[in-house]
Amino acid sequence: MSGDLRKQLEAHAGLALIYEEAWAEIERAETTAGLEEARVKHLGRKSQLSSLLRSIPELPAAERPVVGKFGNQVRTVLEAALAERKKVLEAAELERRLSRESVDITLPGQPFPRGHLHLITQTLWQIEDFFSGLGYRIAEGPEVETDYYNFTALNTPEGHPARSLHDTFFVEGKPEVLLRTHTSPVQIRVMEKEDPPVYVIIPGRVYRRDSDATHTPMFHQVEGLAVDEHITMGDLKGTLEAFAKSMFGAEREIRLRPHYFPFTEPSVEVDVSCMICSGAGCRSCKYSGWLEILGAGMVDPNVFGFVGYEPDEVQGFAFGMGVERIAMLRHGMTDLRMFYDNDLRFIKQF
Ligand code: PHE
């Protein structure tokens, strides 16, 4: 065998080997990345095939056309196989990605926890609803008040014993500024601004230095004020009776007991017949059949003097109730502090 022929065969054998190995690796590649590795290895600049083709000029003249022809054939076939395999792998990879990344629009969404109004707010709104229905307007005033509106203009001058009954929070260094102890100062603010007739209710927070099972330092009141011509105590009683029936049930009755407030004359405390025992007597009403729900009275003419109303021309009644107390009575609660513990087991019941 001539050296030439052997070289030629070797060149062929080498090509055949290159071809088979490359073909096998292309077919085996499972990813486009793996396929790219095979391409670099077998068809890249540093591949055996490339160096063989590059060395053609150095080959004996007789071998050049053979190696050149077969070598280029091998390259064309491998390139086609690569392109074919690449298409298959790319399609498979796209398929996998699509199935992995697809959005299942039938999956239920993340539930969004839904809250509801606090029992105090619900109760406030019901009270407001009732009085709105009677034609009352809602008025509001500041929680940080002056001594003048909280006491003086409500016929409670300095040194008046009633002041000491209101365990008041004062602002340090400003003895005339305080947290209002009741919503009554807003009566004054409304009457200062408006001429009679006045029909308002005044919801809001009030503050007292007081803390036990039935008192929190902050609580809510709803004040009522009606000023007009020919207002009598009968109007007060009728209004509050309708209110008691709407809040506690149509069978409820009310009774008025004499009381004292500096800004009403006469003053009363209003009881509602016990909704638990219907008046027969039980622990809740301390066996009296009655539960106290609010304070009220006819507006003291002195108060009209502070706001420039003519006491000979108009009369009025006023009342004030604790919202927590109303809610507690309606729901049979015994500890007022539960409203402000923020315990969801309690809050979710209403
Ligand atoms: N402001 C009184 C209190 O807080 C309640 C009240 C209001 C009484 C209006 C009479 C008239 O106790």
Coordinates of all heavy atoms in Angstrom, one line a residue, residues 182 184 187 208 221 223 261 263-264 295-296 318-320, ligand 1:
H182 N -67.5 65.7 78.1 CA -68.8 65.3 77.5 C -69.0 66.0 76.2 O -68.2 66.8 75.8 CB -70.0 65.6 78.5 CG -70.0 67.0 79.0 ND1 -71.0 67.5 79.9 CD2 -69.1 68.1 78.9 CE1 -70.7 68.8 80.2 NE2 -69.6 69.1 79.6
S184 N -71.5 67.9 75.5 CA -72.4 69.1 75.7 C -71.7 70.4 75.2 O -72.5 71.3 74.8 CB -72.8 69.2 77.2 OG -73.4 68.0 77.6
Q187 N -73.1 71.8 72.1 CA -74.4 72.5 72.2 C -74.1 74.0 72.0 O -74.7 74.7 71.2 CB -75.1 72.3 73.5 CG -75.7 71.0 73.8 CD -76.5 71.0 75.1 OE1 -77.1 72.1 75.4 NE2 -76.6 69.9 75.8
R208 N -62.5 60.9 80.4 CA -62.6 61.1 81.8 C -61.5 60.2 82.5 O -61.3 59.1 82.1 CB -64.0 60.8 82.4 CG -65.0 61.8 81.9 CD -66.3 61.5 82.5 NE -67.4 62.2 81.7 CZ -68.7 62.2 82.0 NH1 -69.1 61.4 83.0 NH2 -69.5 62.8 81.2
Q221 N -70.1 59.5 73.3 CA -71.4 60.0 73.7 C -72.2 60.4 72.5 O -71.6 60.7 71.4 CB -71.3 61.2 74.6 CG -71.0 60.8 76.1 CD -71.1 62.0 77.0 OE1 -71.0 63.2 76.6 NE2 -71.3 61.8 78.3
E223 N -75.0 63.4 72.0 CA -75.7 64.5 72.6 C -76.9 64.8 71.7 O -76.8 64.6 70.5 CB -74.8 65.7 72.7 CG -75.3 66.9 73.4 CD -74.8 66.8 74.9 OE1 -74.1 65.8 75.2 OE2 -75.3 67.6 75.7
F261 N -78.3 68.4 86.5 CA -77.2 68.8 85.6 C -77.2 70.3 85.7 O -78.3 70.9 85.7 CB -77.4 68.3 84.2 CG -77.4 66.8 84.1 CD1 -78.6 66.1 83.8 CD2 -76.2 66.0 84.2 CE1 -78.6 64.7 83.7 CE2 -76.2 64.7 84.0 CZ -77.4 64.0 83.8
F263 N -76.6 72.4 83.4 CA -77.1 73.1 82.2 C -78.5 72.7 81.7 O -79.0 73.2 80.7 CB -76.1 72.8 81.0 CG -75.6 71.3 81.1 CD1 -76.2 70.3 80.4 CD2 -74.4 71.1 81.8 CE1 -75.7 69.0 80.5 CE2 -73.9 69.8 81.9 CZ -74.6 68.7 81.3
T264 N -79.2 71.9 82.6 CA -80.6 71.7 82.3 C -81.4 71.9 83.6 O -80.9 71.7 84.7 CB -80.9 70.3 81.8 OG1 -80.2 69.3 82.6 CG2 -80.4 70.1 80.4
G295 N -78.9 60.9 80.4 CA -79.3 62.1 81.2 C -79.9 63.1 80.3 O -79.6 63.1 79.1
A296 N -80.8 63.9 80.8 CA -81.6 64.8 79.9 C -82.2 65.9 80.8 O -82.1 66.0 82.0 CB -82.6 64.1 79.1
A318 N -82.4 68.9 76.0 CA -81.1 68.3 75.7 C -81.0 66.9 76.3 O -81.6 66.7 77.3 CB -79.9 69.2 76.1
F319 N -80.2 66.1 75.7 CA -80.0 64.8 76.3 C -78.6 64.3 76.0 O -78.0 64.8 75.0 CB -81.0 63.7 75.9 CG -81.2 63.5 74.4 CD1 -80.3 62.7 73.7 CD2 -82.1 64.3 73.7 CE1 -80.5 62.5 72.4 CE2 -82.2 64.1 72.3 CZ -81.4 63.2 71.7
G320 N -78.0 63.4 76.8 CA -76.7 62.9 76.4 C -76.6 61.4 76.9 O -77.1 61.1 78.0
Ligands
PHE1 N1 -73.4 65.9 79.5 C1 -74.1 65.0 80.5 C2 -73.1 63.9 81.0 O1 -72.1 63.8 80.3 C3 -75.3 64.4 79.9 C4 -76.4 65.3 79.6 C5 -76.5 65.9 78.3 C6 -77.4 65.7 80.5 C7 -77.5 66.8 78.0 C8 -78.4 66.6 80.2 C9 -78.4 67.1 78.9 O2 -73.3 63.3 82.0

